[in-house]
Amino acid sequence: MATVGGASGAAGSRRADPPAGMEGRGEEAPAPAPELSEPSEDEEEQEEEEEDEEEGSGVCVTPALLKACTGEFSLESILLLRLRGRGIARLGCLADCSNLEWLDLSGNAIAALAPLAALRALAVLNLAGNRVASVEPLRGCRSLRQLNLAGNRLRSLRQLRCLQGLRHLESLRLRDPLARLGNPLCAAPAYRAALAAMLPGLKAIDGQRVAGRGSELFRLCRELDAALDGGAAAEGPAEPPRGPQPWVQAGFWEPRAPRRSAVLEEATRQLGEALRECRELGRRADDSIAQAQRALGRRHAGNYGF
């Protein structure tokens, strides 16, 4: 999944697809984007029929599959799950992974996303390369931050309106040129601008930054440099350079007077007492050893053997 940094854009701002050579620089759109065409009812009914047919075949997610992939004994203990390219068509018991935070389901045959509605903690979701035509269940993924839907069957922006309630959503991918994945709605040249207008909290669309502090900081630095250059030119010729100056102020390296602290004084006193006790114990030990040596010497002199 692609992750892109930057702060969230202003609510309700309009962004357009950047011109050639300017991608990823967060340039603002000169004009609001037009609305995209909506699919007809016949097309929607045909998609629903295709979904019903596809759900009947393919691999289903089961507790045994999840435990074998993760090594966890409890589905609630799974936090990260990667099920890429396994021929999965039905999500089965995936709703039981209630604490799941990172999920990769790319490269499968998934059309229905109903079990994902229960994943409240899910933050990163990769559904690239599937057969998804409706993302309505993702309305329940309140913690979702990054979503990859490249290579699916989304035909209009109306199918993405359910994502408007996801306040934490920052990155949305509908097209991946490197993997040659897209959606039917990506054929419209202005879909990025329309998507940015519909979801103003997005920071990145298709891996390209929509808005963020990076571009604002760049403009600020550029304006500051221009102001400094202009001020230097107005002041006339620059002054001759001065001789070398010290890095620190005078007296920086001088030892500072120690601070008096009641805690430090008490700790010093206790340490001194402990040292005196240790010396006294050492003296007693030396006396005991000397007495033992004298006693052993007398026994040896009197032919007392061991």
Side-chain angles (χ1 to χ4, degrees):
M1 288 192 179
T3 56
V4 182
S8 60
S13 60
R14 301 297 190 267
R15 305 291 182 186
D17 194 17
M22 296 293 291
E23 293 186 354
R25 298 187 182 179
E27 299 296 333
E28 295 184 359
E35 291 292 338
L36 303 182
S37 60
E38 306 289 352
S40 63
E41 295 182 359
D42 295 338
E43 290 176 346
E44 292 180 352
E45 292 177 359
Q46 182 179 357
E47 290 174 356
E48 292 176 358
E49 292 176 358
E50 291 176 355
E51 290 179 7
D52 294 339
E53 293 177 358
E54 290 163 355
E55 287 182 3
S57 59
V59 178
C60 179
V61 176
T62 61
L65 174 63
L66 297 178
K67 292 177 181 179
C69 293
T70 62
E72 298 286 348
F73 292 99
S74 172
L75 300 186
E76 295 180 354
S77 301
I78 301 176
L79 301 179
L80 186 149
L81 183 59
R82 182 174 181 177
L83 297 174
R84 176 181 297 181
R86 292 178 175 265
I88 296 173
R90 291 167 292 165
L91 297 181
C93 66
L94 200 58
D96 296 333
C97 303
S98 56
N99 295 315
L100 193 62
E101 298 178 359
W102 191 97
L103 177 60
D104 186 353
L105 292 169
S106 59
N108 288 289
I110 301 168
L113 305 178
L116 299 183
L119 304 182
R120 306 292 184 183
L122 188 63
V124 180
L125 175 61
N126 188 352
L127 287 167
N130 281 278
R131 301 171 181 176
V132 177
S134 173
V135 294
E136 186 68 25
L138 299 184
R139 187 192 300 270
C141 301
R142 298 295 184 182
S143 302
L144 197 61
R145 294 183 178 273
Q146 300 177 25
L147 176 61
N148 189 343
L149 293 171
N152 283 280
R153 299 179 178 180
L154 299 170
R155 298 181 179 275
S156 74
L157 290 181
R158 185 175 66 181
Q159 296 169 298
L160 298 175
R161 288 176 183 169
C162 58
L163 304 180
Q164 291 178 326
L166 303 181
R167 295 180 299 173
H168 302 289
L169 186 63
E170 298 177 350
S171 176
L172 176 60
R173 183 181 287 275
L174 298 175
R175 181 173 174 268
D176 189 346
L178 296 179
R180 298 182 179 180
L181 296 175
N183 282 273
L185 69 86
C186 298
Y191 80 91
R192 285 198 189 99
L195 186 59
M198 186 176 70
L199 302 174
L202 288 178
K203 297 178 182 178
I205 297 177
D206 298 342
Q208 299 180 10
R209 187 172 63 236
V210 175
R213 292 181 180 174
S215 58
E216 296 172 3
L217 179 61
F218 176 78
R219 285 199 301 272
L220 179 61
C221 292
R222 185 171 56 186
E223 294 173 359
L224 182 59
D225 290 340
L228 292 175
D229 293 341
E235 291 176 0
E239 297 180 359
R242 295 182 299 175
Q245 300 293 325
W247 291 359
V248 296
Q249 298 177 357
F252 180 82
W253 301 110
E254 296 295 331
R256 298 180 181 179
R259 291 195 218 168
R260 296 182 59 85
S261 171
V263 176
L264 182 59
E265 292 177 356
E266 178 63 19
T268 304
R269 186 187 64 78
Q270 294 181 6
L271 179 61
E273 292 180 356
L275 290 175
R276 285 193 293 271
E277 292 179 0
C278 290
R279 292 193 189 98
E280 179 64 21
L281 290 175
R283 187 186 62 76
R284 293 178 183 178
D286 291 340
D287 293 344
S288 299
I289 292 173
Q291 292 177 4
Q293 289 177 345
R294 288 195 296 270
L296 290 174
R298 286 196 299 270
R299 289 187 181 184
H300 185 67
N303 293 327
Y304 290 102
F306 292 156

